[in-house]
Each structure stands twice: as structure tokens, then as C-alpha cells.
Amino acid sequence: MNPLRRGGLLLHPTSLPGRFGIGDLGPEASRWVQAVAESGLSLWQVLPLGPTGFGDSPYQCFSAFGGNPLLVSPERLREDGLLTAADLDSTPAFPLSHVDFGPVIAFKSALLDRAFERFESSPPAALRGAFEAFGEAQDHWLDDYALFAALKREYGGYAWTRWAPELARREPAALAVARARLARELRSERFRQFAFFRQWSRLREEARAAGVAIVGDVPIFVAHDSADVWAHPELFHLDAQLQPSIVAGVPPDYFSATGQRWGNPLYRWDVLEARGYDWWVERLRAVLELVDLVRLDHFRGFDTYWEVPADSATAEHGRWVAGPGDDFFRAMRDALGGLPLIAEDLGDVRPEVLELRDRWGLPGMTVLQFGFEADDHEFAPHRHVPQRVVYTGTHDNDTTRGWFAAAEESTRDRLRRYLATDAHDVAWDLIREAFRSVATTAIVPLQDVLDLGAEARMNLPGRPAGNWTWRFTADRFGAAPRERLRELASLYGRRAVDAGASSDLSSRRAG
């Protein structure tokens, strides 16, 4: 039997349309799921869904387990009786084309506080029971996160290492006093998480009913200023002041001439190994409650990772250190019953990385934009193999139109000759090539479907601000682009299927 061929779209929920300043999990998200299905596609890929911090990056979250309260829909809260029409009528005139995070955070926080006040004063009986059940089911991370978030508010947003030393070091007596003092704030934080998970669960059920599987994203590293590091400092390389002693990054590559100094603390893999990688098991188990498949970001780091001295300003000076390798994936498979993962294997990888990927039956990633930078490039369409996920570009690339406009003439010439096109419709030239590929799965950023230029780029790696803001308006993704996608999905056999078949993307019997 031929492997299942599938097609999908890449879009983070923050980019969805709507009048509340940022995309959310409300009616527009429901309409989006239906639009994916109407396009003949069966996959929706998102970025990490956690609560974002400084820089608004979904790859630098305050929790590896929590959800982003900014994604909570005011309209769904109104349906639950926790907001009123008057509350929604006071919405400012936010821009529709991008997220202005500062004003949005202030607005959304005030709305969530108002919803919590109503929940506390007169909660619907069904919500009260669901809230208590949620707290019990998520107690392995929720208590620590709620206290972290409440203390962070109390300390004006400062990193946990700048709190009172007894709190930073989690002395039991100090934590008990803080929990008593901040009891209401803790419930408020738990409510925000409850609202996110409740709305996401509804959306995921709608996706399943529409035959759309959701592809999530797990960054290999977590932010230093996070509940994860605060609650589990023994799992990370920290110095006596609880600051990272070494940090994560990548050396210079085609994304950045000086490499990328991410700054995340590095794991003490020896400690994790001795504990059966329990924290990682819980982390993947948690995300697989939200999505059907997981893109494992920076897969290379499980083979070898780039260790940068914490006092280094760039990532140019570091060293490769052995990661957990096969032992990690064996533990994940045994604990989770399979490996529904996609390996993000981009960048300068050594053969051992690809061997690790293939031993565990994980599909890797192929980016078409890179495939025209040289003759017979490894990402050129004639080099594709079925066990891959092919993209025109990802959230880290420019849009295809923006990339083509800025590319070397030799690259543009190679693309035109290779695809036998004049490239006047270059984004759709690459979409067609992705759908035509022998790669089992093809996923396309919505920006390419909408034929947008560099102004719609989601992220420029290494740029500290100005990322993650792009949004589209509902009228842009209308009948014409949907029909165009549906035709390609039909023509190249990327038929829509039930979301329950999502595990076919990766082997559950690997290793």
C-alpha cells in the first residue's frame, strides 16, 4: 500500500482574523478549521502554544505545559456567561493586519480579570465542576505555574532570579507564605489556564470532526525565566546564583552569520537519564493531549547540541556536546506507546543526526526555498523521498515571494529553469511543487497561499523584536485560494482523511 499522502497549512492562532487585537480560539478559529477542510487538506500546523514572555516568542515561554491566555476568546467567555456584550463593545480599534502586543496584553488581561471576577461571584455549576476537575488533572504542573505567574506579577514582571532569595530558591516556608498571601491570584492564574484548555479542547474536537489533524511544536529547550526552570533547577546547568552557566544556540549557518545565541539553559541530561527522562515524558504527554502530532524543534540537539558560554555575546564560540540520543527516544516510545513526531532536522547536521532520525522512523523536514540555491541541492525536488514533510518555507523563512525577490539572480535563474516557469506566480509555483513532491506530507504557510511579500514574514531569526506579529484578514482566504488548494490536493493525491489517521506520519513501532 502506498503511504498516506497529506497536505496542510501552517498558521499560528495569533495570526487568525478578529477584532480583539490578536487571533484567538473563538469563532474565527472554528471557521479556519472548516476552511482547511474545505481546501481539501487534513493538517493544520501551529507553533508552540505556551504563555509567551519578553519578545512575544512562542519559543520562549513561561511554561512548557501551560497555554497562552492571550489566545482565550472573549466571545467564548461571553457564551459561558463570564463576559457581557458591554464588555466586548469596549474593545479598542486594534489594527487588523498585525498584533500590537503591548496594548493587546493590557486589554486581554483586564478582560480575563473581569471574567474571573464573575466566575468567582456566580459561576455556572457546570463550569465550577469542570474547573475543579481541570485543576486535579493538571496538578503535576499547574500549582507551580500558577505560583510562578502570580509571583511574577507581584514582582512587576522581573525574572524569578530577582525575587526574594528564599522564593527564588523555593524554600518551603517562603512558598507556603506566598501561597497564602496570593491565594486569590493563584485561582486567577488557574482560571486563565482553565479557560485556555477548555477553548482549545473545543477547537480540537471541531478539527477532528472536520477531518483535520493538528501538528504541534515542542522546542527542545525552555526559557530560563520559566516555571519549568524555577520549579526544577536540578535539571539544568545553573550556577550558584541560579543563572545559566552555559546556554543553547547554534553556530553560524544559512540563517545567521554569527549563529544564534538562544540563551536557554542546557539540560543536565545525566540527571534526566537517571530519572527515566520523567520530565520530558510528562512534557510530550501534555502536548499530545492538545495535538495529534508534534514537530520536535532542533532535533539535532538530541544527538549533539551547541554549548555556548553564558558570558559569550554571540554563538560563534562554542562546542558540540553529545546529547541523549537513542536512550531518550527509547524512553519516550516506551512511555508514550509510540513516537508521533516530526524531526526538525534543518541546518548543518552531521550524518549521525540523520541516522538517529531514521532509526526511530521519524520523518524529517525539507524546505523548497533552499532547494534552488545550488545544482542538485539536497532539498531540490528530485532529491525528495517519501519519509519527509516538505514545506515551501517555515515560520523562520521569508515568504516565498519575499525570498524570491531578495534571492541571488543565480538562484532565481535556477528556479525558473528547474520549474520551467517565468516565476510571475512564484509562491504558487512552489506550492504546486510541494504538493507534487513524493514526500508523504506537504505543508504550506498561509502567507504563500495568499502570495504575500516580505511584509508578512513571521520571524527573522536573531532579530530581538518585531517578530510574531503578522495577521491576515478573513476576506483574504476566500473561495479562490481554497479552490486552488483543493485542486492541487486532488491532482496530487493529498486527499483529506480522518484526523485519527494522523499517526501514519510517523512510526509508532520504531526503534
Side-chain angles (χ1 to χ4, degrees):
M1 180 181 293
N2 291 331
L4 183 67
R5 287 171 60 78
R6 309 188 67 175
L9 295 175
L10 169 60
L11 181 83
H12 197 48
T14 58
S15 296
L16 286 165
R19 65 187 179 95
F20 300 104
I22 189 170
D24 60 42
L25 307 181
E28 289 292 351
S30 299
R31 282 189 277 271
W32 164 257
V33 165
Q34 293 303 318
V36 174
E38 290 168 6
S39 300
L41 307 177
S42 58
L43 294 171
W44 171 25
Q45 182 170 334
V46 300
L47 305 183
L49 296 166
T52 52
F54 179 76
D56 310 300
S57 170
Y59 293 90
Q60 297 284 350
C61 292
F62 290 138
S63 171
F65 294 83
N68 189 350
L70 294 179
L71 295 177
V72 172
S73 163
E75 290 161 300
R76 296 294 188 224
L77 290 176
R78 183 190 174 193
E79 291 172 6
D80 283 334
L82 299 176
L83 290 177
T84 67
D87 293 327
L88 273 57
D89 288 344
S90 63
T91 301
F94 288 114
L96 300 177
S97 62
H98 65 277
V99 183
D100 189 359
F101 278 100
V104 165
I105 291 170
F107 168 73
K108 274 293 188 74
S109 184
L111 272 188
L112 289 167
D113 285 344
R114 199 170 306 157
F116 173 66
E117 291 295 332
R118 290 203 177 95
F119 178 78
E120 286 289 271
S121 61
S122 56
L127 283 188
R128 170 71 73 178
F131 176 75
E132 298 302 333
F134 169 76
E136 292 175 6
Q138 305 296 331
D139 63 357
H140 60 285
W141 66 270
L142 184 58
D143 287 346
D144 281 325
Y145 171 74
L147 183 55
F148 171 88
L151 284 167
K152 195 167 186 63
R153 277 210 214 187
E154 185 176 60
Y155 276 88
Y158 281 122
W160 61 270
T161 50
R162 297 183 64 181
W163 301 348
E166 61 272 18
L167 291 173
R169 297 187 180 279
R170 294 180 58 84
E171 295 178 10
L175 295 184
V177 170
R179 288 191 182 99
R181 183 178 71 252
L182 298 171
R184 186 172 181 83
E185 288 80 0
L186 295 183
R187 282 184 62 82
S188 175
E189 294 297 341
R190 292 165 70 92
F191 170 79
R192 291 179 179 213
Q193 290 301 307
F194 167 68
F196 170 88
F197 278 80
R198 175 177 168 82
Q199 292 186 7
W200 181 266
S201 178
R202 169 177 172 165
L203 183 61
R204 189 184 181 194
E205 288 304 313
E206 291 173 346
R208 282 177 167 168
V212 175
I214 300 176
V215 182
D217 195 330
V218 167
I220 182 174
F221 301 116
V222 297
H224 176 240
D225 188 19
S226 67
D228 310 291
V229 180
W230 177 63
H232 303 284
E234 74 280 2
L235 301 182
F236 302 89
H237 284 283
L238 305 179
D239 62 21
Q241 286 72 46
L242 300 173
Q243 296 290 345
S245 54
I246 47 179
V247 298
V250 289
D253 62 9
Y254 44 55
F255 283 125
S256 174
T258 59
Q260 298 176 49
R261 184 193 181 282
W262 297 331
N264 308 75
L266 292 169
Y267 297 105
R268 294 182 59 189
W269 286 116
D270 58 333
V271 175
L272 282 160
E273 179 185 7
R275 294 168 41 159
Y277 303 98
D278 56 349
W279 183 86
W280 262 99
V281 168
E282 290 301 320
R283 184 185 188 190
L284 288 181
R285 184 174 286 143
V287 75
L288 285 168
E289 293 177 357
L290 300 177
V291 302
D292 301 285
L293 288 157
V294 174
R295 172 188 178 270
L296 200 54
D297 191 46
H298 195 55
F299 178 80
R300 191 219 162 114
F302 293 99
D303 169 68
T304 45
Y305 56 90
W306 190 245
E307 177 186 289
V308 181
D311 58 1
S312 179
T314 71
E316 293 171 276
H317 305 293
R319 63 169 186 152
W320 290 112
V321 179
D326 289 305
D327 194 48
F328 174 87
F329 290 101
R330 186 176 299 108
M332 296 305 109
R333 179 203 59 190
D334 293 348
L336 301 172
L339 294 173
L341 307 174
I342 297 168
E344 188 276 289
D345 54 353
L346 304 175
D348 182 17
V349 299
R350 64 180 193 155
E352 290 85 348
V353 177
L354 307 183
E355 292 166 6
L356 178 67
R357 177 199 67 193
D358 293 343
R359 272 197 305 277
W360 293 97
L362 307 182
M365 292 174 57
T366 295
V367 177
L368 277 175
Q369 288 181 13
F370 299 143
F372 302 98
E373 294 178 350
D375 289 339
D376 197 31
H377 191 280
E378 62 174 315
F379 288 165
H382 67 272
R383 299 279 300 273
H384 293 185
V385 297
Q387 184 74 343
R388 292 290 183 276
V389 182
V390 60
Y391 297 80
T392 54
T394 75
H395 64 279
D396 281 333
N397 298 102
D398 202 344
T399 67
T400 291
R401 181 160 291 284
W403 160 78
F404 188 76
E408 298 287 340
E409 177 54 32
S410 60
T411 298
R412 295 197 295 267
D413 177 66
R414 187 175 293 108
L415 180 147
R416 287 189 290 258
R417 289 185 291 113
Y418 191 106
L419 299 182
T421 178
D422 64 5
H424 78 277
D425 197 14
V426 67
W428 278 89
D429 288 338
L430 258 63
I431 293 172
R432 177 179 291 272
E433 200 63 25
F435 275 61
R436 181 163 54 184
S437 170
V438 298
T440 303
T441 303
I443 297 178
V444 178
L446 182 64
Q447 291 96 317
D448 285 350
V449 174
L450 302 182
D451 193 27
L452 299 177
E455 75 284 353
R457 182 168 186 165
M458 192 63 165
N459 178 47
L460 181 63
R463 183 173 64 183
N467 297 316
W468 319 111
T469 67
W470 177 76
R471 300 178 71 201
F472 77 101
T473 52
D475 60 301
R476 296 299 303 270
F477 190 43
R482 295 184 203 182
E483 174 57 34
R484 210 170 174 185
L485 287 169
R486 188 162 54 246
E487 179 186 9
L488 292 182
S490 176
L491 186 63
Y492 296 118
R494 299 195 180 276
R495 58 192 180 280
V497 296
D498 290 337
S502 62
S503 61
D504 290 349
L505 270 172
S506 59
S507 172
R508 289 183 175 268
R509 298 179 298 277

